[in-house]
Amino acid sequence: MDRQDITQAVAILKRGGLVAFPTETVYGLGADAGNPAALRRLYEIKGRPASHPVIVHLADAAQLSQWAREAPDSAHKLAAAFWPGPLTLILKRAARVGDDITGGQDTIGLRVPAHPVAHALLAAFGGGIAAPSANRFGRVSATTADHVHEEFGDSVDLVLDGGACEVGIESTIIDVSGERPALLRPGRISKREIEQVLGAPLAAPRADSPRAPGTLPVHYAPRTPVALVPAAALRAQVADRLRRGQRVAVLARRVPPEVDGRLAWIAAPETAVDYARGLYANLRRLDHAQCDVILVEQPPSSAEWAAVADRLQRAAV
Ligand code: TXA
Ligand code: MG
């Protein structure tokens, strides 16, 4: 990655093209947030319904007021504590912001990413870059440049390669547009860390909370069916399926009990942070193993696993 790649990426964005770029969470598929034609192409390539909003990425928090018409105290506190970083804030949108970014809602999602390539791109571009995760709608997010190519082939104008993403799962989303801040999507920045900064507990999302497709029941799904299995039942389930002649993929925090040609097994890391970092790459690998099912060992129920548990539940049928 050098200066020239960034210059080329900016030129592509300015003429309405699409540039995929790394962030510390997952890769984003970027378009000029101020260009309606570019946004239409973005939605089309992603396969995302027009009613679903997309996050606008900014080089720094000072640009917030160009996109949001009001920022409560909670927004300033969270931005100061976690930007640049893996946090998205949902705010009331500024008057000039169109329906094509917000899915017709009165709110806008904003994030200042920390990844050096994302930051260099945003700083050089100057404006907001609308970027959903760089995967087809409903599918597993991309955490390497290869994943992006796998999803979109040549239909993206440029993919900036920044290596594998450090966080591995999407940003924490906090809605600060209502009476009380609410958690819409868990992520690396935990509920507790947010509450510590706010000095108050987060509200549960309200029935009328802004819609978020990452919060639909089925999302982040491989093509192979995924089943979540309690740790204690895993061994018996694997044996049972092999006996019935199935090919079985497994993601578990331990090594396989036996070697079997019909078994594709990934021993995932023991800690939530490391597990999350490799989660989507692991699901993709197992999806390619041509098995009848992917059995995923249920993660611990403790708070540090909340974001991983959320993604796994949505990947399972
Ligand atoms: O980590 C991330 O957030 C990545 C990187 C690329 O920044 N982006 C990402 O984008 O995950 P996407 O579009 O796959 O998921 C963004 C989530 C969606 O669930 C979307 O509905 C929600 O943010 N969102 C965006 N704007 C919103 C709004 N105005 N109100 C409610 N939810 C919003
Ligand atoms: Mg997504």
Side-chain angles (χ1 to χ4, degrees):
M1 179 75 38
D2 55 28
R3 200 65 233 159
Q4 233 182 323
D5 297 312
I6 298 293
T7 308
Q8 191 196 355
V10 168
I12 290 169
L13 289 173
K14 296 239 182 224
R15 61 164 196 262
L18 302 181
V19 174
F21 61 96
T23 82
E24 68 276 33
T25 57
V26 299
Y27 275 69
L29 180 59
D32 178 355
N35 181 335
L39 291 169
R40 273 198 299 279
R41 186 154 165 244
L42 176 68
Y43 272 73
E44 190 184 301
I45 283 177
K46 180 151 167 104
R48 175 179 271 191
S51 60
H52 289 180
V54 50
I55 297 171
V56 174
H57 297 68
L58 305 172
D60 64 77
Q63 292 171 17
L64 186 146
S65 59
Q66 295 170 28
W67 300 90
R69 69 174 179 273
E70 61 190 57
D73 203 35
S74 55
H76 290 295
K77 280 187 183 157
L78 293 174
F82 300 114
W83 279 354
L87 174 76
T88 296
L89 294 176
I90 307 297
L91 295 138
K92 294 223 167 77
R93 77 185 198 187
R96 70 179 186 93
V97 174
D99 284 343
D100 46 8
I101 308 179
T102 65
Q105 303 181 86
D106 189 35
T107 53
I108 182 149
L110 299 176
R111 170 156 122 79
V112 177
H115 194 289
V117 173
H119 182 77
L121 178 65
L122 286 159
F125 182 65
I129 299 180
S133 51
N135 55 281
R136 290 182 190 277
F137 185 65
R139 294 292 165 191
V140 178
S141 299
T143 52
T144 67
D146 278 350
H147 296 164
V148 180
H149 290 295
E150 195 176 296
E151 288 291 308
F152 298 110
D154 292 335
S155 48
V156 174
D157 300 305
L158 178 68
V159 180
L160 293 174
D161 189 345
C165 300
E166 198 268 322
V167 176
I169 53 172
E170 305 78 0
S171 60
T172 304
I173 303 184
I174 305 292
D175 176 15
V176 287
S177 72
E179 285 280 292
R180 269 176 64 195
L183 176 71
L184 297 192
R185 182 173 72 183
R188 163 77 79 87
I189 298 173
S190 71
K191 186 164 178 266
R192 227 185 52 162
E193 288 173 275
I194 303 271
E195 288 174 338
Q196 265 166 6
V197 168
L198 293 175
L202 283 166
R206 305 175 309 273
D208 64 343
S209 283
R211 296 180 309 272
T215 62
L216 294 176
V218 180
H219 212 81
Y220 314 116
R223 281 164 218 281
T224 313
V226 173
L228 273 175
V229 181
L234 185 63
R235 197 168 175 166
Q237 274 231 21
V238 169
D240 180 56
R241 285 180 181 268
L242 290 175
R243 203 176 315 114
R244 286 171 13 220
Q246 293 192 6
R247 293 180 54 91
V248 185
V250 177
L251 181 61
R253 285 166 291 113
R254 53 182 140 150
V255 296
E258 61 200 305
V259 177
D260 187 304
R262 293 162 305 154
L263 193 53
W265 187 295
I266 293 180
E270 304 262 355
T271 71
V273 164
D274 293 341
Y275 187 106
R277 182 176 302 126
L279 174 61
Y280 291 139
N282 287 337
L283 286 177
R284 279 173 187 271
R285 250 175 75 200
L286 293 175
D287 203 15
H288 287 149
Q290 291 175 325
C291 290
D292 297 290
V293 68
I294 301 174
L295 300 182
V296 179
E297 179 188 21
Q298 240 159 30
S301 53
S302 56
E304 54 181 335
W305 285 88
V308 164
D310 170 76
R311 303 309 189 278
L312 289 176
Q313 261 142 34
R314 293 178 209 286
V317 281

